[in-house]
Amino acid sequence: MAGRSSSSLTDNEWLLMNIVWELKRCAARDASKLAEERHGWAATTTKTYLARLVEKKRLKATRIGNSFLYEPKTSMSASLREAADHLLDKMPGSLGGPLLAYMIGKTRLGVDDVAELRRVLAEAEDQPPAGDKEP
């Protein structure tokens, strides 16, 4: 894909990573079973994506006998932050507020989430806008 870093996840890689994050450690057959149930994938498709995720250093593969045990090398939250950073790097600065408002509106937030957002917004109010210089 043009413009994507080699470690960025494709949509299907995200689907498989979600399975591995859920299982925490799994054999290819366990990931394949869930990928078939949830996404209709053949075992060969799952194994291809597992190999790609190992190449991208997103998964660790440990050989056990004739098979491999897979576990995530990156957390879900770290991967989501990386994807968000990638999106923000491509976006004009003036669209940051509207994008964040949209994302907040699309997200189910708990009491702790709202408190954290209020804290971050209060800090942002105390800082000069990006590009402005303090006297």
Side-chain angles (χ1 to χ4, degrees):
M1 281 188 179
R4 274 204 148 170
S5 76
S6 62
S7 66
S8 294
L9 297 176
T10 65
D11 291 344
N12 285 343
E13 290 168 346
W14 273 105
L15 294 174
L16 187 54
M17 283 300 298
N18 283 325
I19 289 171
V20 179
W21 282 317
E22 178 185 330
L23 297 174
K24 296 178 180 47
R25 280 179 103 174
C26 63
R29 70 179 171 277
D30 300 322
S32 293
K33 182 179 180 208
L34 286 176
E36 179 182 7
E37 290 172 7
R38 294 176 185 177
H39 312 298
W41 295 357
T44 53
T45 301
T46 302
K47 288 179 182 178
T48 296
Y49 283 119
L50 287 168
R52 287 182 187 171
L53 290 165
V54 169
E55 285 176 25
K56 290 183 173 188
K57 301 186 182 339
R58 298 306 186 114
L59 293 178
K60 174 184 174 188
T62 305
R63 187 179 206 61
I64 299 179
N66 291 335
S67 62
F68 288 94
L69 189 63
Y70 296 92
E71 50 190 317
K73 288 182 82 173
T74 57
S75 69
M76 182 186 292
S77 60
S79 295
L80 288 169
R81 282 191 303 271
E82 180 184 316
D85 287 344
H86 182 73
L87 176 62
L88 291 171
D89 288 345
K90 294 190 299 184
M91 181 188 66
S94 63
L95 296 177
L99 176 63
L100 290 172
Y102 172 80
M103 292 176 76
I104 290 168
K106 297 289 285 185
T107 304
R108 284 190 171 154
L109 299 172
V111 174
D112 292 341
D113 299 320
V114 172
E116 176 65 8
L117 285 169
R118 285 189 174 128
R119 184 191 67 73
V120 170
L121 289 171
E123 284 181 12
E125 284 180 320
D126 293 340
Q127 296 176 8
D132 286 1
K133 303 211 183 222
E134 290 190 30

